Amino acid sequence: MRVPIKTKLYLGMIGLVLLYVGLVWLLNTQYLEKYYMSKKQDLLIHSSQIIDDLYKDDLGKIASTLAQLESDMSVSIRITGADGITKYSSIYRLINGKPFFPEATASPDQASRANVSSNYLKVDQSINDQFILEIQKDPILNRDYLVLERKLQNDDVLMLRIRLSSITESVAIANQFMGFTAIPVILLGCIWTVIFARRFTHPIIQLKEIAHSMANLDFRKKCQPQSNDEIADLADSINYLSDQLDLAIKELHLQNQRLTEDIQKKRQMEHLRKEFVSNVSHELKTPISLISGYAEGLKANVMEDETNKNFYCEVIMDEARKMDQTVKDLLNLAQLDSEYFRLNKTVFDIAALLQQVLYKYTAIFAEKSIQLSVAASNGLLVYADRGKIEQVIVNFINNALSHVNQDKIISLDLTPCGDKIRLSVMNSGSHIADDSLDKIWISFYRADQARPREDGRVGLGLAIVKAIQERHHNSFGAENLEQGVRFWIELDRAKFHTP
């Protein structure tokens, strides 16, 4: 059976209180009277020695001392001469002017000569070479006395007598008082035991609760010791252990989280690799099949007229051009992702570069009846890789030409934004789904899966834009507008960056 430590303290301390009370009562009952008797004997012997030292046959000089001894010790004193005549006595009293003494009916002188002490019953006697110490019982008064007799230096006899009934009564009163006080003492002891046990076990119970919390990986609870003892040291150790375990588990959790992220990244990279291989294979399969088919047709001389032969050659050349562009884009993207790639940053006028690129598209804009608008101020210097930023502009324009609707609106803007310059390209057309705004930057991703591949696009242009901007550590994005879709990038202003 499991007994709590609090109960053990209760029982142990209550047992100590009961043992103490019982032991005190036993000692009072069995030994207090003997101890008190021994002390009275020592006191009588000491008093007799004082009288012996002071008495020089002149009782008048020590009368006051004898009276003081009688008063202080409640003792009766009698001094008799060598002839048996009483010289001093506090035993006898006067009645009607005559001395009264219950020891005998004779006069004091006669009683002294007749050795009246022989009328007492001697209960116990102790004799040595200096004094006689005995317990006498008065048969008339039925009283017990402790009597000491000794011979003084002048051969007189000193007798000191004290009533033993007072000793017995004192012991009885003490035992009675002990009985009365035992109950409140036990009750107070029990109350104190409860208080002490609670104060003693409270930190232990608190430590137990903290240990249970630690077992459940909850390290928020801390023990606050109220004392400076071994329990406080144990509480500090438990708190320290809790902090260390909390730190270790947090670090372990962090390591597990990092490991999980690494595993997820590895799985994601593996998925991207497989998807990349699949997309590349798919994108190259079609032009290779077309080139192979038309080449076999030419070899077999399927078409005899020159016009059809030229058509076959144009298809082969066009598909070869598309395949070449795809391979170049893949190599470009791989180069940007390489850790060894370094940008060639210079300071240049972004507006001049924009006009230069737009000039190359003049014929295409005219052919497709594009309504072009450009908002750019000259002298906007940026610090970036000129060739890569030109590629970003080209990819944005190609993307706009591919998705512009029948409104044929394309607008380009250069806007200063603090230490950055934002370049944006907007085309009128259908909005991009919200869940695809972040996915369009992934290689081979197409927001419109139904769009045919005859436009020559394989979904690498925006992925290249993303890689270039990440190399420049600048932002990029896309957003739906009321008229269409706008793509944007940010560039570092040259006045904030030195080459």
Side-chain angles (χ1 to χ4, degrees), residues 150-337:
R150 69 176 294 169
K151 182 179 288 189
L152 301 177
Q153 296 178 8
N154 59 357
D155 293 333
D156 288 347
V157 178
L158 171 66
M159 185 182 73
L160 300 178
R161 188 178 72 171
I162 186 171
R163 276 187 57 189
L164 290 181
S165 58
S166 60
I167 300 175
T168 306
E169 291 172 359
S170 298
V171 173
I173 293 173
N175 289 334
Q176 187 179 13
F177 178 77
M178 188 66 189
F180 290 152
T181 57
I183 295 177
V185 167
I186 293 175
L187 291 177
L188 290 176
C190 293
I191 294 174
W192 166 248
T193 299
V194 172
I195 296 174
F196 176 77
R198 287 182 178 177
R199 289 178 61 88
F200 181 78
T201 57
H202 175 71
I204 298 177
I205 295 174
Q206 191 177 12
L207 290 175
K208 182 190 75 172
E209 294 175 352
I210 292 175
H212 283 233
S213 299
M214 291 170 59
N216 295 324
L217 302 181
D218 182 6
F219 304 100
R220 294 173 297 176
K221 292 183 178 181
K222 293 292 183 292
C223 182
Q224 303 295 334
Q226 303 296 327
S227 59
N228 187 17
D229 51 16
E230 288 79 2
I231 295 181
D233 295 338
L234 178 60
D236 292 337
S237 300
I238 292 294
N239 291 337
Y240 177 75
L241 176 62
S242 176
D243 293 337
Q244 294 300 312
L245 286 176
D246 188 20
L247 181 61
I249 290 177
K250 285 181 178 178
E251 291 180 354
L252 181 61
H253 178 72
L254 182 61
Q255 294 294 334
N256 289 338
Q257 186 176 3
R258 290 176 179 174
L259 180 60
T260 302
E261 292 176 355
D262 292 340
I263 293 174
Q264 290 178 349
K265 287 181 179 179
K266 185 177 180 180
R267 291 177 178 175
Q268 186 178 8
M269 291 297 295
E270 181 66 18
H271 174 72
L272 290 176
R273 185 189 66 81
K274 291 180 179 179
E275 185 178 5
F276 180 81
V277 172
S278 175
N279 289 329
V280 170
S281 300
H282 175 74
E283 294 298 335
L284 295 179
K285 178 181 180 181
T286 300
I288 290 175
S289 298
L290 289 174
I291 292 173
S292 177
Y294 280 93
E296 289 178 359
L298 288 175
K299 181 179 180 180
N301 199 17
V302 175
M303 297 296 178
E304 296 181 355
D305 59 293
E306 194 67 24
T307 302
N308 288 330
K309 288 182 179 181
N310 291 335
F311 173 76
Y312 273 45
C313 291
E314 289 176 358
V315 170
I316 292 174
M317 293 174 60
D318 183 60
E319 293 299 327
R321 179 187 58 79
K322 292 178 182 178
M323 188 167 59
D324 179 66
Q325 185 62 43
T326 300
V327 172
K328 288 181 179 179
D329 288 343
L330 289 173
L331 292 175
N332 193 10
L333 188 60
Q335 182 185 31
L336 290 170
D337 290 337

Side-chain angles (χ1 to χ4, degrees), residues 32 67 79 83 98 131 185 286 323 362 455 492 494:
L32 180 59
I79 299 176
D83 55 359
K98 297 180 180 181
F131 55 82
V185 167
T286 300
M323 188 167 59
T362 302
D455 57 1
D492 296 324

Side-chain angles (χ1 to χ4, degrees), residues 12-26 186:
M13 296 192 69
I14 291 174
L16 286 176
V17 172
L18 294 176
L19 179 63
Y20 173 76
V21 172
L23 185 61
V24 170
W25 179 84
L26 180 63
I186 293 175

Side-chain angles (χ1 to χ4, degrees), residues 56-156:
K56 306 297 182 184
D57 292 331
D58 189 356
L59 291 171
K61 294 181 179 180
I62 64 171
S64 60
T65 302
L66 296 177
Q68 185 176 359
L69 288 174
E70 293 171 358
S71 176
D72 292 343
M73 299 186 301
S74 300
V75 67
S76 299
I77 302 174
R78 186 173 69 177
I79 299 176
T80 57
D83 55 359
I85 297 176
T86 300
K87 294 182 178 181
Y88 177 88
S89 176
S90 61
I91 299 175
Y92 309 117
R93 292 168 294 185
L94 293 177
I95 298 178
N96 295 326
K98 297 180 180 181
F100 172 78
F101 48 95
E103 292 92 339
T105 56
S107 66
D109 292 341
Q110 293 173 339
S112 299
R113 293 188 183 95
N115 193 11
V116 296
S117 61
S118 61
N119 295 327
Y120 288 86
L121 299 176
K122 296 180 181 180
V123 179
D124 191 12
Q125 189 178 54
S126 176
I127 302 175
N128 60 23
D129 57 349
Q130 292 183 350
F131 55 82
I132 298 175
L133 189 64
E134 58 187 12
I135 300 175
Q136 299 179 355
K137 183 175 183 63
D138 187 348
I140 299 175
L141 299 179
N142 195 23
R143 294 286 187 271
D144 291 334
Y145 296 92
L146 178 62
V147 179
L148 182 142
E149 293 184 5
R150 69 176 294 169
K151 182 179 288 189
L152 301 177
Q153 296 178 8
N154 59 357
D155 293 333
D156 288 347

Side-chain angles (χ1 to χ4, degrees), residues 336 341-346 348 382-392 420 464-476 489-492 497:
L336 290 170
F341 176 77
R342 295 291 181 269
L343 294 173
N344 183 22
K345 289 186 177 182
T346 59
F348 60 92
V382 298
Y383 179 61
D385 188 320
R386 180 185 175 93
K388 298 303 179 185
I389 298 303
E390 180 179 357
Q391 188 176 4
V392 170
K420 304 288 184 180
I464 293 174
V465 171
K466 173 187 175 184
I468 292 174
Q469 284 301 104
E470 288 179 346
R471 281 292 182 177
H472 282 84
H473 303 290
N474 281 324
S475 302
F476 59 93
I489 63 169
E490 287 185 349
L491 301 170
D492 296 324
H497 298 83

Side-chain angles (χ1 to χ4, degrees), residues 348-351 376-382 414-416 421 493:
F348 60 92
D349 188 340
I350 184 62
S377 301
N378 292 327
L380 295 177
L381 300 180
V382 298
L414 288 175
T415 306
I421 291 179
R493 297 189 71 171

